[in-house]
């Protein structure tokens, strides 16, 4: 059904359709759902997360490639004050973090742990910053399971990585950890980087550096630059390596 009538009224028994205005006319088109919580389907991941923010444990399933806007610090933090965990099951799709701010964009929650499963993650790359031009910056506790990252990762809080591949084309570190007293546990990691591997550095920190505990197991680093793991924190760092190939 198409019409140029601005007062067009459409009645359909299909909840999966909507009216849009394209090329000078109104059209009835099928909705494209990218996220699902329970039986409810949503056209955007942000809409799904907003609807569920009152829940303590949010579980979202991606039905297709999705985008989530992020901006400076925690301006667009997801989840509610009582939310403890946010799980996004990717089902093999790609999640793009869209940087609305030119610099210092953060994936943030209101205190919840963000769990990303079975997906590819990247960002929109809009930037002016020296290292932020590549990184996906997590300001919350995060758990990545069976994830391929097409950009470098930065952690301001705790992180758990299981079977993660990082394909980093920029001349920087594939993982950057700000020493805020957290634990970063890695089991199963492949780093393909035009730059370096892991860096722990209090650069840009808002607080005094605190001890980081880093465990890396079953990892392979293929880097153009020489450093696989570099610690430049003013605080102590506990590092455990097991079955790590940095040759």
């Amino acid at each position: 059904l198409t019409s140029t009538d601005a007062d067009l009224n459409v009645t359909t028994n299909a909840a999966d359709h909507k009216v849009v205005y394209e090329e000078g006319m109104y059209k009835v088109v099928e909705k494209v759902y990218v996220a699902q919580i329970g039986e409810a389907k949503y056209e955007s991941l942000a809409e799904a997360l907003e609807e569920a923010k009152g829940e303590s444990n949010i579980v979202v399933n991606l039905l297709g490639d999705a985008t989530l806007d992020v901006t400076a610090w925690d301006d667009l933090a997801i989840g509610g004050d009582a939310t403890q965990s946010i799980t996004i099951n990717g089902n093999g799709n790609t999640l793009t973090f869209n940087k609305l701010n030119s610099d210092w964009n953060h994936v943030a929650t209101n205190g919840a742990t963000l769990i990303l499963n079975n997906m590819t993650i990247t960002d929109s790359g809009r930037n002016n910053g020296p290292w932020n031009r590549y990184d996906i910056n997590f300001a919350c506790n995060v758990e990545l399971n069976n994830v391929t990252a097409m950009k470098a990762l930065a952690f301001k809080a705790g992180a758990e990585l299981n079977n993660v591949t990082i394909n980093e084309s920029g001349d920087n570190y594939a993982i950057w950890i700000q020493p805020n007293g957290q634990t970063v546990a890695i089991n199963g990691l492949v780093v393909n980087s035009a730059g370096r591997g892991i860096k722990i550095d209090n650069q840009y920190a808002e607080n005094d550096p605190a001890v980081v505990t880093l465990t890396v197991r079953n990892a392979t680093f293929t880097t153009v630059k020489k450093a696989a793991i570099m610690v430049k924190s003013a605080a102590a760092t506990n590092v455990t390596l097991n079955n790590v190939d940095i040759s």
Side-chain angles (χ1 to χ4, degrees), residues 116-188:
L116 304 180
N117 298 324
N118 305 311
M119 66 176 67
T120 296
I121 59 175
T122 188
D123 62 40
S124 60
R126 182 168 184 258
N127 65 82
N128 287 318
W131 59 271
N132 190 41
R133 68 189 64 187
Y134 299 111
D135 291 19
I136 303 171
N137 308 310
F138 292 97
C140 57
N141 289 330
V142 65
E143 181 180 325
L144 306 179
N145 301 302
N146 300 316
V147 168
T148 297
M150 304 308 294
K151 297 291 181 69
L153 307 175
F155 303 122
K156 293 183 64 178
E160 180 179 339
L161 281 64
N162 299 296
N163 299 321
V164 171
T165 297
I166 303 175
N167 296 319
E168 162 53 18
S169 60
D171 184 14
N172 60 337
Y173 285 87
I175 295 177
W176 181 75
I177 301 169
Q178 189 180 91
N180 292 316
Q182 74 269 50
T183 295
V184 177
I186 298 172
N187 186 6

Side-chain angles (χ1 to χ4, degrees), residues 88-103:
I88 303 177
N89 296 314
N91 299 307
N93 294 296
T94 297
L95 174 56
T96 300
F97 295 102
N98 181 37
K99 295 182 176 181
L100 297 179
N101 182 267
S102 62
D103 200 4

Side-chain angles (χ1 to χ4, degrees), residues 192-238:
N192 300 305
S193 175
R196 299 168 175 85
I198 298 175
K199 182 182 183 182
I200 302 174
D201 195 345
N202 49 286
Q203 188 179 16
Y204 309 114
E206 305 94 62
N207 305 308
D208 291 336
V211 176
V212 169
T213 299
L214 171 65
T215 302
V216 183
R217 293 185 171 91
N218 304 313
T220 300
F221 292 85
T222 302
T223 59
V224 174
K225 301 296 178 67
K226 293 182 179 180
I229 300 175
M230 177 178 286
V231 179
K232 295 185 67 177
S233 170
T237 302
N238 298 318

Side-chain angles (χ1 to χ4, degrees), residues 62-102:
L62 294 188
L63 304 176
D65 294 344
T67 299
L68 187 65
D69 290 342
V70 295
T71 189
W73 308 114
D74 58 354
D75 292 350
L76 290 178
I78 56 178
D81 294 337
T83 304
Q84 299 176 16
S85 68
I86 301 169
T87 301
I88 303 177
N89 296 314
N91 299 307
N93 294 296
T94 297
L95 174 56
T96 300
F97 295 102
N98 181 37
K99 295 182 176 181
L100 297 179
N101 182 267
S102 62

